[in-house]
Amino acid sequence: MSGEYLSNLLTHKRTLFSLLSLLAIILLGYGAKNLYFKSDYKIFFDKKNPQLVQHEHIESEYTKSDDITFIISTSANDLFNEQDLTALLEFTRDAWKLPYSIRVDSVTNFQNTYAEQNDLIVEDLVPEDVHPEDTHFAQLKKTALEQIELVDFVLSADAKTTSVSVLLQMPDDEHAKDAASHEAVMAARELVQKYTVNYPELSIHLVGQTTVNFTFNELSKRDSGFWFPIMFLAMSILLVLLLKSFSGMIISLIIIIASVISTLGLMGWCSTPLNQVTAALPVIILTLAVCNCVHILNNFYYHLADQQNKTTALLNAMRTNLQPVFLTSLTTVIGFLSMNFSETPPLRELGNWAAIGVTFAFIYSLTLLPFLARLLPAAGRKKSSGKFGQAYSQWLYRKRTSVFTVISLIVIGLLIQIPRNELNDNTIGYFKESVPFRQAADFMQKELTGFDSINYSLACGSSNCVNEPEYLKKVEDFSKWLKQQPEIVHVVSYTDIIKRLNRNMHEGDKPFYTIPESRELSAQYQLLYELSLPFGLDLNNLINVDKSALKVTAIIKNQKAQQLIEIEKRSASWLKRNAPELNSPGAGISLMFAHLGQRNINSMITGSILALVLVTLTLIIALRSLKYGLISLIPNTLPAATAFGIWGVVLAEVNVAVAVVFSFTLGIIVDDTVHFLTKYIRARKEQQKGTIESVEYAMSIVGKAVLVTSAVLGAGFTVLALSDFNVNAYMGAMVAITIILALILDLTLLPLSLFHLDK
């Protein structure tokens, strides 16, 4: 089917195609009722991800990590006074009442132990009734600060800050789990509000894994519900100003809305949930869908200004833009589909659904736009003289050597900055500092303990073997080594408990703060201790059910991806040298993200190269010219590369989303190149113009459209950069920078390359 025939068909049968499009929009849009949000951090990982597999193994062996933790700090000298301890006791009791709560750990219910003759006494550190006349606050403080299991973990060294950690038993069903997270966090916020009113000297912050999941969900909904309307309004204003046509703005917005509705509706029909990353889809589709509209409408108004009637102008606009619109849509789809090389499922989903959204935008720009353009009034306007495009092209030709030199020096200067970038994913850094959770996590790291942790499940080989002295000593040696690492602020290990019990049963003598000498003695102490523990405070967070393994947790403060991986490597090396039979991979949520970022970069290099090859081959075939296809490499590869150079100067840190920017933007920035080259080739081959005249022609025809689309795209992704979720914000900022650089290079290096290579 020839382009001429298809253009005639789409123009003259526009009513039929518009009705079919409307029917498709209604049917697809109805599926949006099935959309829901999924905010679990595990969605970022494939099921076979080795770090996720180990993390889930540890969760299956020990208590799961779903929790809400309250960080409580006082303005008094310390927490060990009547008012603050009373508040902590009440708060701990109320924390048990939170939805899905199965365990609460706080400084008040820390299980303090001591011996009376041959009896082991296990009781709460702080008695239920606190009275100044019979409570020795100084002694309580001294006892608490002597417990290495508490300091720099549950209680700060200055005793001003503490934590109350609530373990939750969440539903397995993902729909129910999100609802449960919302219920639990909202109840926790109400609890915080209640106690900050009743005890104004206390400041209370919320952290914990369930809080993280809820914050992901909350920010996703805010991005889609807040930024999309703002972007929609900004897009409307930009289109009116740049197209100078109210009806053109209306047509573009209808195509945009239709594309977004169809994409989200199809997601609903496919039962694909929205998540933290794909919540940005409406803004992305809104931004990309406008490009085809601008090029077709700009050409339509150009022909109207040439005194053509609407049908003829529409036919000429369709004929002129059918191939470039198809090519730009195809290359954009290729770029997005290359994101399937990403190690991150949400980024793969973003690429796939963005590709589908671009496809819908392409279809509706050919089927719905002609009907709307013919139906709505189009105010006449003066025909552009093309003088600016002509004058700019002539100036560029005269100054080609100096402009080429300046642009080349700038590009080279930016390219050499790329190595400054380093992968440094940071779980806390996924959130901007304005987000309450980020503020809480920063406060916790400053005043109490670390946010990140690495867990090790050290198996002894058989059931009930955890009390073997030789095994316990090796676990203790590993725990001691971890404590010596400068990045680690606390280590949670069962060996600290068994050493404390051994000392208790030897009249508190410090020399007996060691591993018991026999298995029988360790087992006896463990049994006495477990029988004395209150409901909900068992040892399953440290010992697995059949007592064949112990969990050791290293708490780490203020470290990023590379440092976490380095700590893991050092730990693995120590175990291999000193306790090879215990060697076990570390696991932890932050460690999972650290490895994910590195693998994502490696996989996306392959994806980006493949996308570049496919896009270049597409252009070579479509333009029927090896030379023009290779020339297109210049404005197609340099924008993203130079953007990474700017990023290296400004921020120098790459997260999991920034790694996909080259593939993400490749198909987008090809848009301007394709439209410029197709008009240039038409002038060269059909109108037999020379190189300079062909550049002038292309600049006059597409110059304005290129400026409009770049402005709209840049504005759209700049809005995304304002997201409080830094994965989306960094990606939006990088894409916006890349688009602006692509515009500059398309208007300078591309025509300069044609001047030199197509004489």
Side-chain angles (χ1 to χ4, degrees), residues 74 76-81 85 107 112 125-127 135-147 150-151 155-161:
T74 182
N77 291 331
D78 58 61
L79 289 161
F80 289 87
N81 57 74
L85 283 181
V107 68
N112 188 36
L125 176 65
V126 180
T135 301
H136 303 286
F137 295 115
Q139 182 59 43
L140 279 178
K141 177 181 175 181
K142 180 176 181 295
T143 302
L145 292 176
E146 286 174 348
Q147 309 302 319
L150 290 178
V151 179
L155 182 67
S156 62
D158 61 5
K160 288 175 66 70
T161 305

Side-chain angles (χ1 to χ4, degrees), residues 357-637:
V358 169
T359 303
F360 280 129
F362 167 71
I363 293 170
Y364 296 144
S365 66
L366 298 184
T367 58
L368 194 55
L369 185 148
F371 175 80
L372 295 171
R374 184 66 181 81
L375 177 68
L376 295 178
R381 62 185 187 187
K382 292 181 180 180
K383 182 179 179 180
S384 173
S385 63
K387 287 183 179 179
F388 177 78
Q390 183 180 16
Y392 172 74
S393 301
Q394 291 174 355
W395 173 85
L396 189 63
Y397 182 75
R398 290 195 306 271
K399 302 290 184 179
R400 60 189 181 279
T401 302
S402 55
V403 173
F404 181 80
T405 302
V406 171
I407 294 293
S408 298
L409 288 174
I410 293 173
V411 168
I412 293 170
L414 290 174
L415 292 179
I416 62 177
Q417 301 301 320
I418 292 177
R420 290 169 58 93
N421 289 294
E422 62 177 26
L423 171 69
N424 243 343
D425 258 335
N426 174 7
T427 308
I428 296 176
Y430 282 173
F431 306 95
K432 287 188 175 175
E433 293 180 359
S434 58
V435 177
F437 167 76
R438 169 68 183 272
Q439 295 169 356
D442 287 341
F443 180 84
M444 179 179 78
Q445 294 212 109
K446 180 182 178 183
E447 301 295 338
L448 181 60
T449 189
F451 177 82
D452 299 314
S453 63
I454 301 179
N455 300 305
Y456 296 89
S457 180
L458 306 177
C460 50
S462 61
S463 298
N464 299 306
C465 62
V466 295
N467 288 307
E468 291 287 352
E470 185 178 349
Y471 164 75
L472 284 172
K473 287 176 182 177
K474 288 185 177 180
V475 173
E476 170 64 4
D477 288 342
F478 181 54
S479 300
K480 283 182 177 179
W481 179 84
L482 287 173
K483 292 174 183 177
Q484 293 168 1
Q485 306 312 299
E487 308 93 340
I488 296 174
V489 295
H490 188 82
V491 175
V492 182
S493 175
Y494 169 72
T495 56
D496 289 331
I497 295 176
I498 198 67
K499 288 191 299 179
R500 172 159 56 95
L501 297 178
N502 192 42
R503 181 182 61 191
N504 293 150
M505 299 306 290
H506 287 84
E507 299 180 348
D509 288 347
K510 290 183 179 180
F512 286 95
Y513 188 69
T514 59
I515 301 298
E517 294 180 354
S518 70
R519 172 175 178 163
E520 291 73 20
L521 204 55
S522 292
Q524 181 183 350
Y525 293 163
Q526 184 186 102
L527 179 62
L528 287 172
Y529 183 69
E530 286 188 303
L531 290 175
S532 303
L533 290 174
F535 171 78
L537 294 180
D538 57 40
L539 290 174
N540 190 232
N541 61 325
L542 297 173
I543 307 174
N544 68 352
V545 175
D546 67 350
K547 293 181 169 54
S548 64
L550 296 177
K551 184 173 77 170
V552 175
T553 301
I555 308 298
I556 302 164
K557 181 188 288 189
N558 293 327
Q559 301 299 311
K560 295 184 179 179
Q562 297 289 3
Q563 290 77 26
L564 291 176
I565 293 173
E566 175 59 29
I567 294 169
E568 181 200 25
K569 288 180 179 178
R570 295 205 309 262
S571 301
S573 178
W574 189 95
L575 285 170
K576 187 176 181 180
R577 289 194 315 270
N578 299 282
E581 69 277 16
L582 303 184
N583 199 1
S584 173
I589 296 169
S590 296
L591 187 63
M592 290 158 59
F593 278 100
H595 280 284
L596 179 68
Q598 186 61 61
R599 282 199 296 270
N600 200 52
I601 287 179
N602 296 336
S603 61
M604 284 312 302
I605 290 174
T606 303
S608 298
I609 292 172
L610 179 61
L612 181 61
V613 170
L614 289 176
V615 166
T616 304
L617 286 175
T618 300
L619 294 181
I620 290 172
I621 294 170
L623 299 176
R624 299 178 183 179
S625 170
L626 176 63
K627 177 172 64 176
Y628 294 132
L630 294 178
I631 287 175
S632 72
L633 283 171
I634 298 170
N636 291 345
T637 56

Side-chain angles (χ1 to χ4, degrees), residues 104-169:
V104 178
D105 288 291
S106 81
V107 68
T108 60
N109 71 358
F110 172 76
Q111 296 304 290
N112 188 36
T113 57
Y114 58 93
E116 288 184 353
Q117 297 181 352
N118 291 325
D119 294 328
L120 179 67
I121 307 300
V122 182
E123 62 185 17
D124 290 352
L125 176 65
V126 180
E128 279 296 316
D129 296 317
V130 177
H131 299 292
E133 59 272 13
D134 56 15
T135 301
H136 303 286
F137 295 115
Q139 182 59 43
L140 279 178
K141 177 181 175 181
K142 180 176 181 295
T143 302
L145 292 176
E146 286 174 348
Q147 309 302 319
I148 64 171
E149 296 133 274
L150 290 178
V151 179
D152 292 329
F153 182 50
V154 176
L155 182 67
S156 62
D158 61 5
K160 288 175 66 70
T161 305
T162 189
S163 68
V164 176
S165 182
V166 183
L167 194 67
L168 306 172
Q169 183 66 53

Side-chain angles (χ1 to χ4, degrees), residues 48-119:
K48 294 182 179 180
N49 178 284
Q51 281 74 39
L52 177 62
V53 170
Q54 179 64 10
H55 175 70
E56 290 184 329
H57 167 69
I58 290 178
E59 282 198 327
S60 68
E61 291 284 301
Y62 308 91
T63 307
K64 286 190 175 182
S65 60
D66 293 316
D67 72 297
I68 294 175
T69 297
F70 302 86
I71 307 300
I72 303 173
S73 187
T74 182
S75 59
N77 291 331
D78 58 61
L79 289 161
F80 289 87
N81 57 74
E82 180 184 8
Q83 185 169 345
D84 288 341
L85 283 181
T86 299
L88 285 174
L89 285 166
E90 292 176 2
F91 195 97
T92 302
R93 285 195 293 268
D94 284 345
W96 277 103
K97 301 173 186 177
L98 287 178
Y100 311 101
S101 170
I102 59 171
R103 178 183 181 125
V104 178
D105 288 291
S106 81
V107 68
T108 60
N109 71 358
F110 172 76
Q111 296 304 290
N112 188 36
T113 57
Y114 58 93
E116 288 184 353
Q117 297 181 352
N118 291 325
D119 294 328

Side-chain angles (χ1 to χ4, degrees), residues 35-40 42-46 174 263-264 267 270-281 284-285 336-357 660 664 731:
L35 279 177
Y36 64 97
F37 277 90
K38 184 178 180 181
S39 56
D40 194 337
K42 292 181 182 179
I43 65 171
F44 282 89
F45 306 91
D46 286 314
E174 60 187 34
T263 305
L264 296 182
M267 287 183 74
C270 295
S271 299
T272 302
L274 287 168
N275 55 52
Q276 300 92 306
V277 176
T278 56
L281 270 172
I284 292 172
I285 296 171
F336 280 127
L337 291 180
S338 70
M339 290 173 66
N340 279 287
F341 282 85
S342 172
E343 290 284 330
T344 311
L347 289 175
R348 296 201 296 266
E349 291 174 7
L350 179 69
N352 291 332
W353 287 106
I356 291 171
V660 304
F664 189 98
M731 183 169 63

